[in-house]
Amino acid sequence: MPTILQALVDRRSERHFSNRPLEPEVVESLIEAFRWAPSSNNRQPWRLLIAKDAASIAAYDDALSEGNRTWATAAALKMVVVGNPDEQPDRNGMQSFMLDCGLALENLLIQGCALGLTTHAMIGWDIDKVTSAFAIPAPMRPVALVVAGYRGRIEDLPPDVQAKDLKPRTRKPAEEIVVWSRFG
Ligand SMILES: Cc1cc2nc3c(=O)[nH]c(=O)nc-3n(C[C@H](O)[C@H](O)[C@H](O)COP(=O)(O)O)c2cc1C
């Protein structure tokens, strides 16, 4: 049975990076993984902003929460997932552009891990700083930050960050999250 289950199980959000730059074809493959995500009505209400010049990389680092700044600044590739609500109408009272953006983000994370990279999504950042530093036009909004890079050495991280990376990965058991037929 062909399956990508093992790749999904092996994906993990680590925090260590080497200073080796990513080859252009590696960056292209991350972009391709992002681009081929499914979306409602194939609206693709997303943009992938990549911090390229020194000023945008510095602004990226500055917008991170203090906790994320301790490790994410070392990543070779710094990206912002930007969503456009106008390109995907809300459904059932839900901002469904966020769902589409999340699927594209996960595609990128999985491809990164399959390539042996450290890839890590972040919610810890300042929305005003990100919006203004990257001139994100309304009604678009940043949805997630995500970094990628070749793996480094866990021993080089500060002890508190090492502890986070060494924490065993856990998930709720299937019996807790799968509902057969109906709730109750
Ligand atoms: C949308 C999103 C935002 C996240 N934000 C952060 C963050 O700001 N800082 C951080 O260290 N990890 C962040 N994470 C990583 C999660 O903590 C991680 O996915 C979770 O603990 C499960 O671990 P795993 O990805 O290794 O399976 C984020 C993950 C997602 C999907």
Side-chain angles (χ1 to χ4, degrees), residues 50-106:
I50 302 177
K52 198 168 177 212
D53 58 34
S56 63
I57 291 168
Y60 193 100
D61 292 347
D62 180 60
L64 294 174
S65 67
E66 218 173 293
N68 286 335
R69 204 175 295 131
T70 58
W71 55 270
T73 52
L77 190 66
K78 299 173 178 176
M79 299 163 279
V80 184
V81 178
V82 177
N84 188 344
D86 279 8
E87 291 174 359
Q88 187 63 277
D90 291 0
R91 298 283 167 87
N92 298 322
M94 184 176 66
Q95 291 195 307
S96 55
F97 79 98
M98 301 273 278
L99 183 57
D100 299 332
C101 287
L103 292 168
L105 169 63
E106 170 71 339

Side-chain angles (χ1 to χ4, degrees), residues 15-17 66-74 153-166:
R15 294 172 179 81
H16 48 89
F17 298 99
E66 218 173 293
N68 286 335
R69 204 175 295 131
T70 58
W71 55 270
T73 52
R153 287 163 23 104
I154 200 161
E155 312 86 75
D156 294 338
L157 293 170
D160 56 324
V161 183
Q162 277 191 40
K164 285 185 190 168
D165 261 18
L166 290 169

Side-chain angles (χ1 to χ4, degrees), residues 22 33 36 39 42 47 61 127 141-142 144-145 148 165 168 170 183:
L22 296 183
W36 279 101
S39 61
N42 201 20
R47 306 287 185 281
D61 292 347
I127 188 166
R141 57 150 295 159
L145 267 56
D165 261 18
T170 59
F183 278 88

Side-chain angles (χ1 to χ4, degrees), residues 8-15 64-65 67-68 71-72 102 105-106 109 113 119-125 143-145 161 164-165 167-171:
L8 300 178
V9 173
D10 290 343
R11 183 211 55 76
R12 54 183 305 147
S13 303
E14 294 181 311
R15 294 172 179 81
L64 294 174
S65 67
N68 286 335
W71 55 270
L105 169 63
E106 170 71 339
L109 293 173
C113 286
T119 53
H120 201 131
M122 292 174 289
I123 200 68
W125 37 272
V143 171
L145 267 56
V161 183
K164 285 185 190 168
D165 261 18
K167 238 170 72 180
R169 291 173 66 245
T170 59
R171 288 299 186 267

Side-chain angles (χ1 to χ4, degrees), residues 164-183:
K164 285 185 190 168
D165 261 18
L166 290 169
K167 238 170 72 180
R169 291 173 66 245
T170 59
R171 288 299 186 267
K172 293 175 182 174
E175 309 82 67
E176 195 180 327
I177 60 158
V178 178
V179 178
W180 298 98
S181 300
R182 63 186 60 79
F183 278 88

